[in-house]
């Protein structure tokens, strides 16, 4: 319990074997621990629901890991992350009980979760499981839309890694997309690209369907029918939130029937030119309308300069400026102010995390500390971050960097 009266559940990742370790050693390596420590905090400051990292403790014990699952296990330095969340219950926590027919325990666990974490649901209400499911569907759609708005790919979106509270948990082979690519996969072991960034919304639907299957034994026929209808509404919830977030990223106010096309057009140009996702939106937040209108993109806006090479860029700019004119009671300075507040200048790109990890493995935690400072204020310019190149094009050595899910 903290000073505000909030309950938090504490977990030690990497502290050793527990009754639930199965065949693992219960340990974690410094590499994955630094990444989780930095990214969970970065996501919090990006205003995305997430577990938090309270501490990172480095061990001198050796941990053996086959990082890329190619039979070459190497000795790595161990570490322990103290991570906290309001709850660590996942969709899989309910699935396993339904699978083994432990329905009394399933009902008991669900009622506990509802009472503790879903104040809008009356635990004495006969339709409480329906109301619970409806909330999880809505908040999962919201969470994945938020991931997409910052170019975040979780990497392993199975039901054991999907929180019932719709927070981001289990930071493994995640990655923030650099060049815009709907097929972006940060995880070396995902050969089938099941968890590519462009498929995350569909995976959300798949996992929610698994949740519904786990709830079904507790529902009567009418409730089952209603629950199926709730699930059918997920795509609309997701697309609505996605549209709202990307309209905000473009500084658009009000509604226009062409908004979806305007967003899709820009993403198409970004994909064709391999433009940097984060910096394209950030630089659109900083460039003036007159600079855009003249198609005179200053060199500092390097991501926009990449897109400007596409023959259809002038057509998109024309549509965008026309749409901005329909913003009521708005000015260019207000637009830029609004956009810089939702488009981060800094996210934890894989090359930044890798650079910090390499130094940490040599007992130099200076870059871990620098990233901590920078990622706490991702929307503000930071002189040391600029010197480190955090808002510059991806270094050539990091172009094909992918991440193992070995922790």
């Amino acid at each position: 319990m903290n000073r505000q009266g909030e309950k938090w559940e504490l977990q030690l990742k990497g502290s050793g074997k527990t009754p639930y370790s199965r065949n693992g050693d219960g340990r974690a390596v410094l590499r994955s621990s630094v990444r989780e420590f930095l990214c969970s905090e970065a996501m919090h400051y990006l205003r995305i629901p997430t577990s938090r990292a309270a501490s990172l403790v480095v061990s001198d014990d050796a941990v053996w890991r086959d990082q890329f699952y190619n039979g070459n296990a190497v000795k790595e330095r161990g570490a322990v992350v103290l991570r906290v969340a309001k709850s660590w219950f996942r969709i899989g926590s309910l699935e396993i009980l339904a699978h083994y027919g432990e329905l009394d325990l399933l009902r008991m666990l669900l009622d506990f979760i509802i009472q503790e974490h879903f104040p809008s649901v009356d635990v004495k209400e006969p339709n409480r499981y329906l109301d619970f499911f409806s909330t999880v569907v809505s908040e999962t759609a919201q969470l994945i839309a938020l991931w997409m708005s910052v170019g975040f790919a979780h990497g392993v979106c199975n039901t054991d890694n999907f929180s019932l509270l719709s927070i981001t948990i289990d930071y493994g082979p995640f990655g923030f997309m650099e060049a815009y690519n709907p097929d972006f996969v940060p995880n070396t072991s995902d050969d089938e690209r099941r968890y590519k960034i462009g498929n995350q919304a569909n995976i959300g639907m798949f996992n929610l369907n698994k949740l519904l299957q786990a709830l079904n034994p507790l529902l009567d026929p009418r409730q089952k029918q209603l629950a199926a209808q709730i699930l059918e509404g997920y795509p609309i919830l997701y697309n609505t939130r996605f549209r709202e977030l990307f309209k905000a990223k473009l500084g658009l106010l009000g509604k226009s029937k062409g908004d979806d096309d305007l967003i899709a057009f820009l993403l198409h140009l970004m994909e064709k030119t391999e433009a940097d996702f984060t910096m394209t939106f950030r630089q659109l937040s900083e460039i003036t309308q007159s600079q855009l209108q003249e198609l005179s993109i200053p060199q500092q806006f390097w991501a926009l300069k990449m897109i400007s090479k596409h023959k259809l860029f002038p057509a998109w700019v024309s549509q965008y400026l026309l749409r901005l004119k329909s913003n009521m009671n708005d000015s260019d300075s207000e637009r830029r102010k609004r956009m810089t507040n939702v488009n981060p200048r800094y996210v934890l790109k894989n090359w930044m995390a890798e650079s910090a990890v390499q130094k940490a493995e040599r007992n130099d935690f200076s870059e871990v500390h620098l990233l901590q400072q920078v990622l706490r204020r991702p929307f503000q310019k930071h002189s040391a971050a600029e010197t480190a190149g955090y808002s510059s094009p991806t270094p050539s050595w990091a172009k094909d960097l992918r991440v193992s899910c070995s922790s």
Side-chain angles (χ1 to χ4, degrees), residues 89-334:
F89 284 120
R90 308 123 188 281
I91 292 175
S93 308
L94 304 181
E95 273 188 295
I96 193 169
L97 299 178
H99 177 78
Y100 287 106
E102 298 183 62
L103 301 189
D104 289 341
L105 188 52
L106 176 63
R107 188 176 285 106
M108 190 187 304
L109 178 57
L110 264 170
D111 287 347
F112 171 80
I113 292 169
I114 289 169
Q115 193 153 353
E116 288 287 312
H117 303 293
F118 289 79
S120 64
V121 179
D122 184 352
V123 76
K124 294 173 183 163
E125 165 66 43
N127 287 325
R128 63 189 179 279
Y129 302 143
L130 266 184
D131 296 339
F132 161 79
F133 183 61
S134 178
T135 303
V136 176
V137 168
S138 175
E139 292 187 356
T140 298
Q142 154 88 348
L143 178 66
I144 298 176
L146 283 167
W147 287 355
M148 297 300 287
S149 74
V150 295
F152 176 79
H154 183 281
V156 189
C157 297
N158 57 41
T159 52
D160 262 350
N161 291 341
F162 256 54
S163 159
L164 288 171
L165 272 59
S166 304
I167 63 172
T168 315
I169 59 171
D170 291 353
Y171 289 88
F174 67 83
F176 283 90
M177 180 169 52
E178 293 171 30
Y180 177 72
N181 177 9
D183 293 330
F184 168 64
V185 178
N187 180 3
T188 51
S189 61
D190 188 3
D191 296 327
E192 296 177 0
R193 297 184 174 270
R194 173 174 172 78
Y195 300 127
K196 65 184 182 182
I197 194 167
N199 201 37
Q200 290 186 133
N202 293 331
I203 290 295
M205 179 85 163
F206 178 90
N207 290 346
L208 289 167
N209 187 48
K210 291 291 184 184
L211 173 59
L212 178 54
Q213 289 175 31
L215 295 176
N216 266 335
L218 306 182
L219 304 179
D220 62 33
R222 184 190 67 86
Q223 290 172 330
K224 287 178 183 176
Q225 190 176 8
L226 289 171
Q229 290 172 7
I230 290 168
L231 184 58
E232 284 173 12
Y234 167 83
I236 294 171
L237 291 170
Y238 170 77
N239 288 322
T240 300
R241 191 64 184 123
F242 180 94
R243 182 188 306 115
E244 288 170 353
L245 289 166
F246 275 80
K247 279 176 62 179
K249 287 175 76 66
L250 288 173
L252 307 180
L253 301 175
K255 292 182 180 179
S256 170
K257 63 180 180 180
D259 286 346
D260 286 349
D261 291 338
L262 187 67
I263 295 163
F265 192 178
L266 176 61
L267 294 177
H268 171 76
L269 296 182
M270 290 168 66
E271 182 179 2
K272 292 301 178 186
T273 56
E274 298 184 352
D276 185 283
F277 179 84
T278 301
M279 292 311 295
T280 294
F281 283 100
R282 179 65 186 200
Q283 290 169 11
L284 276 173
S285 311
E286 295 172 353
I287 198 168
T288 65
Q289 287 191 46
S290 59
Q291 286 172 318
L292 268 179
Q293 192 157 17
E294 293 164 14
L295 298 174
S296 58
I297 313 293
Q299 193 59 47
Q300 74 208 59
F301 299 136
W302 53 269
L304 288 180
K305 278 194 86 70
M306 283 185 74
I307 306 177
S308 70
K309 293 174 184 174
H310 197 286
K311 64 182 181 182
L312 294 178
F313 181 68
W316 181 81
V317 168
S318 177
Q319 289 180 27
Y320 179 50
L321 293 175
L322 187 63
R323 174 62 179 86
L324 287 177
K325 282 182 181 175
S326 70
N327 283 352
M328 298 291 289
N329 303 316
D330 199 22
S331 67
D332 196 36
S333 60
E334 284 296 316

Side-chain angles (χ1 to χ4, degrees), residues 340-353:
T340 52
N341 195 41
V342 295
N343 289 312
R345 189 171 181 87
Y346 311 109
V347 295
L348 185 65
K349 294 180 176 179
N350 275 338
W351 72 265
M352 293 155 58

